[in-house]
Amino acid sequence: MKSFVESANSADTDFPLANLPFGVFRRGEADAPRVGVAIGDRVLDLEACREAGQLAALDEQTEAACGAPDLNELMEVGDMPALRRVLQDLLGEHSTSKPELHEMRNVELLLPARIGDYTDFYASIHHATNVGSMFRPDNPLLPNYKWMPIGYHGRASSIVVSGTPVKRPSGQTRDDANQRPVFGPTTRLDYELELGVFIGRGNRLGEPIPVGKALEHAFGFCLVNDWSARDIQTWEYQPLGPFLAKSFATSVSPWVVTREALEPFRTKSVERDPAELPHLQDDVAYDITVEVWLQSAAMNEPIRVSRGNFRDMYWTVAQLIAHHASNGCNLRPGDLLASGTISGPGKDARGCLLELTWRGTEPLELPGGETRKFLEDGDEVILRAYCEREGLRVGFGECRGRVAG
Amino acid sequence: MKSFVESANSADTDFPLANLPFGVFRRGEADAPRVGVAIGDRVLDLEACREAGQLAALDEQTEAACGAPDLNELMEVGDMPALRRVLQDLLGEHSTSKPELHEMRNVELLLPARIGDYTDFYASIHHATNVGSMFRPDNPLLPNYKWMPIGYHGRASSIVVSGTPVKRPSGQTRDDANQRPVFGPTTRLDYELELGVFIGRGNRLGEPIPVGKALEHAFGFCLVNDWSARDIQTWEYQPLGPFLAKSFATSVSPWVVTREALEPFRTKSVERDPAELPHLQDDVAYDITVEVWLQSAAMNEPIRVSRGNFRDMYWTVAQLIAHHASNGCNLRPGDLLASGTISGPGKDARGCLLELTWRGTEPLELPGGETRKFLEDGDEVILRAYCEREGLRVGFGECRGRVAG
């Protein structure tokens, strides 16, 4: 399946014709945001397609949603299989249309959706065990962990798109229990490598989503960097959970990879032991390689500091959604559910510096002799993810953020 | 200061000419939402006032915001002192205009704002100590409590307006550590009496709000019932805080009492001991009586089950706002910050059943011989609040919710 867009046929592109992730872009500051689709190094302009009548084969709602200023409408009502077929024809090597494309480097990529609520889970048992053993050595994995996906509400207002600089936050910390706490810039700034799920169709308040139908509510996936200030977190998090340690910024990648594009990469999840309760029973995981790359101000190019896989998560995407709605909580189109840090069993698969440097006791060595316990000003963190199977590659692009002092 | 609206001059009305709380209403299901102001038992129709030119003395932004379908625009740009002066003239006993009024019982009151993010604090030291002593007998008040306002992100999607029935949620619970957890309807459903602050003008991401300027960002106040499923909460809340135990519903009163209307009721806050850090230094409290009333299906009228005062909170409103933004987190117009359960030093001032019945060990006796450890289906909880001083009364109206099975 080839595209007339040359760059989409290269073996290492994240955005071949089989992917077609959705995003929102503008051509300049004065331009209104519009929906786009990534293809190779280009962006297909869906508003222009609509105006040219190239989406006329779609139902009216889906066609109208392609002209919206964000993805929320498409998430709610879009017939995505049909839209994907139309776009694959439009962008295929035998396409007779001339759809409007922009060079991706020439457009500004924006937040893909208005995110009403943002929820962050804790679905990697490797991450939970590692972090738990640092914060509660005698009690690393709490008794509830294996019975339900633990999660908490995050801050929606401070979610920013990849490329937005992240200002080092100030906060209250206390290193010594015999001293007064102090207020000042965090000295333990960390990233967290996560994947996020954008909710498509929502549920009504009071009406849970059965786990067997839960994936139907997942519109698509993006990369999430849940920036964390570990010193602030340690001091504030009891008893109500993380708050200001996280709410200063959360970065997301601009391209939302649809559930349909990930179908070829479904695999069997790890088994819960003990088995999950019936209302959470599911075994669908996705085989997605996830990586963290880091570049300090002194370095010429980033190096990879970890690589894991999303299929190692203890709780599946369907379980996160079904659990979230199990009390009747309404999920709305555009809501974001993040997975929590994706860590694997191996040391090279630890998805945050807290784990990778074991709370700073095993500093990371960078080329040129620098070391890192936590992030320094000028450091850029780059998250990447991709699926690969039998010559087919579906990628997520990047989620970047540079630490500003 | 009298109004030509007779009911606004009665000594016991919550909505005299001195109050003028803002809300959103519609006259029927087919009607578009519009901004209104409560006056006695009537609602002033601001869209109609605008059309009749009765708001022409205001600046353009404020006048336009009065025609919006919710309060967000007014919260962001409204010149509230000027608007209040215009409305007091319009509704005063010497008014020569005939502004359009609706009977309050004939209109449907809606959520006053699009709430982007909802944050719930834990600002009553009496509540924190009581609850802490049940959940952690050896460690009731954690070491961070007296150094900063503890809070967490709540769920915005499930905030409903007063009068919306609240469905008893299901969830996972475990009473016996030797047994598997079970999934089913909560048996420990509770209310929490809180006040909420709607943010007016916001701050930009990365730019904290100094505590001395924090109150300027408070548009106004409402009643909040933070419904809580205590059995779900006990099992889920560690280590990331309350999640599904709260996210099934949060009720708010429809009328937002402006900061300006509360000016006469400012008072000195309790003193923090030890003294708060400089970036949180403040001493402005509000003298607001808060009450919980309860009516079971078998009762003919509600009885009051507790009465406290908002001035007893350990942390002030300015401290909640300044702390929230101290890491650079951006607050947006329409964001809701709730105080946490308002409990006082006395037993009759405990703002939730968990405290009032001491985890069910001291059941509440109702007229007719019924008792309550937690809420039963058909119970209606009514929150009320008001300020009174030298013949001036400024009230909040009610926040009601009936438990549906």
Side-chain angles (χ1 to χ4, degrees), chain A residues 117 144 147-148 153 155-157 167 172 183 205-206 235 238 244 247-248 279 323 327 330 332 335, chain B residues 117 144 147 153 155-157 167 172 183 205-206 235-236 238 244 247-248 279 323 327 330 332 335:
Chain A
D117 277 289
N144 54 18
W147 290 104
M148 62 183 165
H153 305 296
R155 180 81 193 175
S157 72
K167 195 167 163 186
Q172 210 182 100
F183 180 82
L205 184 63
W235 174 230
Q238 282 186 317
L244 301 190
S247 65
F248 58 93
H279 73 291
H323 178 63
N327 65 346
N330 53 328
R332 296 178 294 190
D335 283 352
Chain B
D117 277 289
N144 55 18
W147 290 105
H153 304 297
R155 179 81 193 175
S157 72
K167 195 167 163 187
Q172 209 182 101
F183 181 81
L205 184 62
W235 174 230
E236 79 170 356
Q238 284 186 313
L244 301 191
S247 64
F248 57 93
H279 73 291
H323 178 64
N327 66 345
N330 53 329
R332 297 179 293 191
D335 283 352

Side-chain angles (χ1 to χ4, degrees), chain A residues 232-278:
Chain A
I232 298 174
Q233 187 175 356
T234 306
W235 174 230
E236 80 171 355
Y237 92 104
Q238 282 186 317
L240 301 184
F243 182 46
L244 301 190
K246 306 272 194 174
S247 65
F248 58 93
T250 304
S251 301
V252 298
S253 57
W255 295 112
V256 182
V257 178
T258 62
R259 177 166 46 89
E260 288 78 9
L262 294 176
E263 279 297 305
F265 307 99
R266 278 168 79 134
T267 182
K268 222 170 150 59
S269 73
V270 300
E271 278 184 32
R272 265 66 52 197
D273 177 21
E276 63 270 31
L277 295 182

Side-chain angles (χ1 to χ4, degrees), chain A residues 115-122 136 142-145 147-160 164 167-172 174 179-183 205-208 232-249 274-280 323-332 335 337, chain B residues 115-122 136 142-145 147-160 164 167-172 174 179-183 205-208 232-249 274-280 323-332 335 337:
Chain A
I115 299 168
D117 277 289
Y118 161 47
T119 305
D120 196 18
F121 283 95
Y122 195 52
R136 297 173 303 275
L142 293 171
N144 54 18
Y145 189 86
W147 290 104
M148 62 183 165
I150 298 296
Y152 67 102
H153 305 296
R155 180 81 193 175
S157 72
S158 52
I159 297 176
V160 296
T164 308
K167 195 167 163 186
R168 178 179 298 274
S170 286
Q172 210 182 100
R174 193 180 71 164
Q179 298 288 318
R180 289 160 59 91
V182 296
F183 180 82
L205 184 63
E207 298 182 4
I232 298 174
Q233 187 175 356
T234 306
W235 174 230
E236 80 171 355
Y237 92 104
Q238 282 186 317
L240 301 184
F243 182 46
L244 301 190
K246 306 272 194 174
S247 65
F248 58 93
E276 63 270 31
L277 295 182
H279 73 291
L280 292 176
H323 178 63
H324 204 322
S326 65
N327 65 346
C329 178
N330 53 328
L331 308 182
R332 296 178 294 190
D335 283 352
L337 276 57
Chain B
I115 299 168
D117 277 289
Y118 161 48
T119 305
D120 196 19
F121 283 94
Y122 194 54
R136 297 173 301 276
L142 294 171
N144 55 18
Y145 189 88
W147 290 105
M148 61 181 163
I150 297 296
Y152 66 103
H153 304 297
R155 179 81 193 175
S157 72
S158 52
I159 297 176
V160 296
T164 308
K167 195 167 163 187
R168 179 179 297 273
S170 286
Q172 209 182 101
R174 193 179 73 162
Q179 299 288 318
R180 290 159 60 89
V182 295
F183 181 81
L205 184 62
E207 297 182 3
I232 299 173
Q233 187 175 355
T234 306
W235 174 230
E236 79 170 356
Y237 91 104
Q238 284 186 313
L240 300 185
F243 181 46
L244 301 191
K246 306 271 194 175
S247 64
F248 57 93
E276 64 270 30
L277 296 182
H279 73 291
L280 292 177
H323 178 64
H324 203 322
S326 65
N327 66 345
C329 178
N330 53 329
L331 308 182
R332 297 179 293 191
D335 283 352
L337 275 58

Side-chain angles (χ1 to χ4, degrees), chain A residues 2-257:
Chain A
K2 287 194 166 181
S3 170
F4 72 83
V5 180
E6 279 302 329
S7 57
N9 302 323
S10 116
D12 62 351
T13 182
D14 273 354
F15 307 130
L17 195 56
N19 189 352
L20 302 182
F22 287 76
V24 172
F25 72 98
R26 59 180 181 181
R27 293 159 301 180
E29 282 199 15
D31 194 31
R34 37 176 78 190
V35 174
V37 169
I39 179 79
D41 59 4
R42 305 291 153 121
V43 176
L44 177 69
D45 185 330
L46 286 203
E47 170 64 14
C49 291
R50 204 173 68 96
E51 284 170 5
Q54 290 159 340
L55 307 178
L58 295 164
D59 68 79
E60 209 172 305
Q61 282 189 309
T62 304
E63 190 188 358
C66 291
D70 51 50
L71 297 183
N72 293 66
E73 214 174 311
L74 212 49
M75 289 167 167
E76 184 169 11
V77 301
D79 178 346
M80 298 311 292
L83 178 52
R84 282 172 55 79
R85 279 192 301 273
V86 165
L87 297 178
Q88 281 172 344
D89 282 348
L90 206 54
L91 293 167
E93 58 186 334
H94 305 298
S95 174
T96 52
S97 313
K98 285 267 173 290
E100 193 165 332
L101 297 164
H102 308 284
E103 288 194 51
M104 201 182 292
R105 62 179 179 178
N106 287 343
V107 303
E108 183 189 1
L109 298 171
L110 305 172
L111 267 190
R114 280 175 290 111
I115 299 168
D117 277 289
Y118 161 47
T119 305
D120 196 18
F121 283 95
Y122 195 52
S124 161
I125 198 167
H126 307 290
H127 173 67
T129 307
N130 285 339
V131 173
S133 70
M134 295 177 217
F135 283 76
R136 297 173 303 275
D138 48 339
N139 201 13
L141 204 62
L142 293 171
N144 54 18
Y145 189 86
K146 289 185 159 193
W147 290 104
M148 62 183 165
I150 298 296
Y152 67 102
H153 305 296
R155 180 81 193 175
S157 72
S158 52
I159 297 176
V160 296
V161 74
S162 171
T164 308
V166 171
K167 195 167 163 186
R168 178 179 298 274
S170 286
Q172 210 182 100
T173 59
R174 193 180 71 164
D175 278 346
D176 179 345
N178 297 313
Q179 298 288 318
R180 289 160 59 91
V182 296
F183 180 82
T186 174
T187 60
R188 298 193 203 147
L189 184 61
D190 201 354
Y191 58 81
E192 289 193 334
L193 163 65
E194 309 194 7
L195 286 181
V197 181
F198 277 106
I199 294 298
R201 198 159 41 82
N203 63 309
R204 290 171 58 161
L205 184 63
E207 298 182 4
I209 297 171
V211 68
K213 299 270 185 191
L215 273 182
E216 295 171 21
H217 293 263
F219 174 85
F221 296 72
C222 69
L223 287 157
V224 176
N225 185 341
D226 177 31
W227 303 91
S228 299
R230 301 302 184 187
D231 41 2
I232 298 174
Q233 187 175 356
T234 306
W235 174 230
E236 80 171 355
Y237 92 104
Q238 282 186 317
L240 301 184
F243 182 46
L244 301 190
K246 306 272 194 174
S247 65
F248 58 93
T250 304
S251 301
V252 298
S253 57
W255 295 112
V256 182
V257 178

Side-chain angles (χ1 to χ4, degrees), chain A residues 91 224 376 380 400:
Chain A
L91 293 167
V224 176
E376 303 283 343
E380 184 164 35
R400 283 178 176 264

Side-chain angles (χ1 to χ4, degrees), chain B residues 317-351:
Chain B
V317 171
Q319 288 170 333
L320 303 186
I321 293 172
H323 178 64
H324 203 322
S326 65
N327 66 345
C329 178
N330 53 329
L331 308 182
R332 297 179 293 191
D335 283 352
L336 182 65
L337 275 58
S339 61
T341 306
I342 305 167
S343 292
K347 186 172 172 176
D348 60 342
R350 294 178 181 167

